[in-house]
């Protein structure tokens, strides 16, 4: 769970400001750390990276230390490695091609053999992220060019990676051959290019969305040429775009894998209404993630939507709190019910996904305390059962409620009068037409890569 951005501007462009805005738009993809590396074409890259939100970490003073027309940015939610300053990205290392910086969204798998090989060669790791493996492979490469060293490095790793890599004179954007994570290229007004995880970042910096980077595609920008050069990693038969990006993770105003996220979530809700209609006076979304699915559900059944739960927007996602006890407390901090809307009513609560069941349990109790007569729960995706190895921060197998309880037991646990999920076939029927293949491991346990 990370957001990446790469800015390749004209000489007069303040690339770090655009990278900052791009990271700001992608804050939802990672709140643990933020960082930007920039270059004005000189030998040294400039780097500012540390813990915290983009707006907290990047003071005016820090941004003013990032001159130049080239920059990459990153915001991180730890999926491997702990939340430590040394793990903040972009990472920078000295290489045969001068200083090189890298920002990574995704998660490598089966890394221990490569780490062993590098360690035997005397390579010292300064972080505990899997991203550093790619950087060290580039730094120890015998290849003649940066792009050749990137090819060589990527041939040795497996997993999910959308990357932006830069030196003082080059920028490389890559999406892994399975295309797990999104990455797209845009054109900057006034000239230049930009790479971002999500199109909502392009909107903010007023760049034009050219297209998604294809799975396995490498885009190279160089100071001595004007146009991007496109090439491909060895192809893999099937694509595995992360379907959970569409269900929960990406922002609704982004277009991801060729689909608008908001419309897809609404369609999940409409399909859920067909599969699992409820008799009720109102549909209440769990804000914010359940809103589009709830709208689709409400429209399909002609049941009015009421925002009977209100979220305090100054609290982070409950999920990121480190312990169970804090998470329980967090739900109350984060949501409140509107008694005069809910009292005496039959309510259908809609959320995008059910993970541990703890949020729904608290919120359903809150709605009942506010006087609701019936509370039905509908979920806009199937039961989650498998942790993600490809870049989404998810709980362990044991923590997923669907691995402990069947649907009836889950209903009892969360305290709903009825509970139904969108079926797996229903979910695929909404998205199937528009892409070549999705990673659905978190629902099916079918891993696209054999995990050692
Ligand atoms: P729970 O009550 O634990 O089942 O949490 C459900 C809520 O967590 C839903 O509102 C989801 O939108 C949200 N959610 C789902 N997956 C994640 C994730 N990987 N990280 C943070 N929140 C999530």
């Amino acid at each position: 769970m990370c957001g990446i951005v790469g800015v390749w501007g004209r000489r007069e462009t303040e690339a770090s400001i655009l990278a900052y805005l791009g990271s700001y738009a992608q804050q939802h993809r990672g709140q643990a750390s933020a960082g930007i590396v920039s270059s004005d074409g000189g030998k040294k890259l400039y780097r500012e990276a540390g813990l915290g939100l983009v707006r907290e970490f990047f003071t005016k003073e820090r941004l003013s230390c990032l001159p130049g027309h080239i920059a990459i940015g990153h915001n991180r939610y730890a999926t491997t490695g702990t939340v430590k300053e040394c793990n903040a990205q972009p990472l920078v290392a000295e290489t045969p091609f001068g200083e090189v910086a890298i920002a990574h969204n995704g998660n490598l798998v089966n890394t221990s053999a490569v780490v062993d090989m590098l360690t035997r060669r005397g390579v010292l790791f300064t972080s505990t992220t899997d991203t550093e493996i790619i950087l060290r492979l580039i730094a120890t490469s015998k290849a003649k060019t940066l792009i050749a060293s990137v090819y060589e490095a990527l041939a040795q790793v497996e997993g999910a990676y959308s990357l932006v890599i830069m030196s003082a004179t080059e920028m490389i954007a890559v999406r892994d051959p399975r295309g797990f994570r999104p990455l797209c290229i845009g054109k900057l007004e006034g000239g230049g290019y930009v790479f971002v995880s999500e199109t909502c970042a392009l909107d903010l910096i007023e760049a034009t969305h050219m297209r998604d980077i294809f799975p396995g595609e490498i885009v190279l920008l160089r100071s001595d040429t004007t146009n991007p050069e496109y090439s491909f990693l060895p192809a893999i038969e099937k694509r595995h775009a992360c379907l959970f990006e569409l269900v929960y993770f990406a922002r609704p105003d982004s277009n991801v894998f060729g689909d608008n996220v908001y419309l897809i979530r609404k369609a999940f809700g409409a399909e859920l209404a067909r599969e699992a209609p409820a008799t009720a006076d109102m549909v209440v979304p769990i804000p914010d993630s359940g809103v589009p699915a709830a709208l689709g559900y409400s429209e399909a059944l002609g049941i009015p939507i009421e925002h009977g739960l209100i979220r305090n927007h100054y609290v982070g996602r409950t999920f990121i709190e480190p312990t169970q006890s804090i998470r329980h407390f967090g739900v109350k901090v984060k949501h409140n019910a509107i008694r005069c809307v809910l009292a005496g009513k039959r309510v259908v609560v809609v959320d995008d996904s059910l993970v541990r069941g703890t949020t729904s349990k608290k919120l359903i109790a809150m709605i009942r305390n506010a006087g609701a007569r019936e509370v039905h729960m509908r979920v806009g995706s199937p039961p989650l059962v498998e942790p993600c190895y490809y870049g989404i921060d998810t709980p362990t197998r044991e923590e997923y409620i669907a691995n402990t309880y069947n649907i009836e037991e889950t209903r009892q646990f969360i305290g709903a009068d009825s509970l139904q999920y969108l079926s797996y076939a229903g979910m695929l029927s909404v998205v199937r037409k528009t892409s070549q293949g999705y990673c659905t491991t978190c629902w099916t346990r079918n891993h696209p890569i054999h995990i050692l």
Side-chain angles (χ1 to χ4, degrees), residues 47-243:
R47 177 178 189 267
E48 293 290 331
L51 301 183
L53 298 176
V54 175
R55 68 155 192 268
E56 289 165 358
F57 180 75
F58 282 109
T59 55
K60 248 192 186 152
E61 291 68 39
R62 281 199 170 116
L63 276 172
S64 68
C65 299
L66 293 163
H69 57 292
I70 311 174
I72 62 174
H74 186 270
N75 33 328
R76 173 165 191 268
Y77 186 125
T79 46
T80 69
T82 44
V83 182
K84 281 195 295 198
E85 200 112 29
C86 68
N87 287 338
Q89 294 192 28
L91 301 175
V92 178
E94 193 56 58
T95 77
F97 321 100
E99 280 196 323
V100 167
I102 184 167
H104 173 202
N105 172 209
N107 204 30
L108 301 181
V109 296
N110 306 338
T111 51
S112 53
V114 189
V115 173
D116 284 354
M117 180 271 288
L118 286 170
T119 314
R120 270 198 309 276
R121 281 204 218 155
V123 170
L124 293 177
F125 284 84
T126 55
S127 77
T128 55
T129 65
D130 53 348
T131 311
E132 193 179 351
I133 298 169
I134 300 175
L135 189 58
R136 297 293 163 204
L137 286 169
I138 293 171
T140 52
S141 167
K142 301 262 181 313
K144 295 273 181 300
T145 58
L146 177 59
I147 183 96
S149 77
V150 169
Y151 269 103
E152 207 182 273
L154 297 180
Q156 298 173 71
V157 299
E158 273 272 35
Y161 51 84
S162 283
L163 303 169
V164 282
I165 298 168
M166 67 175 267
S167 69
T169 53
E170 288 177 293
M171 183 173 290
I172 295 167
V174 195
R175 213 168 139 208
D176 70 71
R178 293 179 180 82
F180 282 105
R181 301 278 143 234
L183 185 63
C184 56
I185 178 169
K187 236 187 191 129
L188 284 174
E189 209 169 296
Y193 294 91
V194 57
F195 302 104
V196 291
S197 301
E198 286 188 37
T199 59
C200 64
L202 296 178
D203 296 340
L204 181 60
I205 59 180
E206 296 183 338
T208 319
H209 182 205
M210 290 165 63
R211 62 174 176 82
D212 286 1
I213 308 285
F214 297 116
E217 188 177 21
I218 301 198
V219 185
L220 169 65
L221 294 162
R222 291 191 288 159
S223 304
D224 46 3
T225 54
T226 38
N227 292 325
E229 294 161 46
Y230 303 99
S231 57
F232 283 88
L233 294 167
I236 279 181
E237 233 168 76
K238 208 169 169 304
R239 296 182 177 181
H240 288 99
C242 167
L243 192 39

Side-chain angles (χ1 to χ4, degrees), residues 244 248 289 319 351-360 392-393:
F244 201 63
Y248 165 77
S289 57
F319 222 78
D351 205 357
D352 65 287
S353 55
L354 203 61
V355 185
R356 295 178 167 96
T358 45
T359 311
S360 350
I392 298 271
D393 186 61

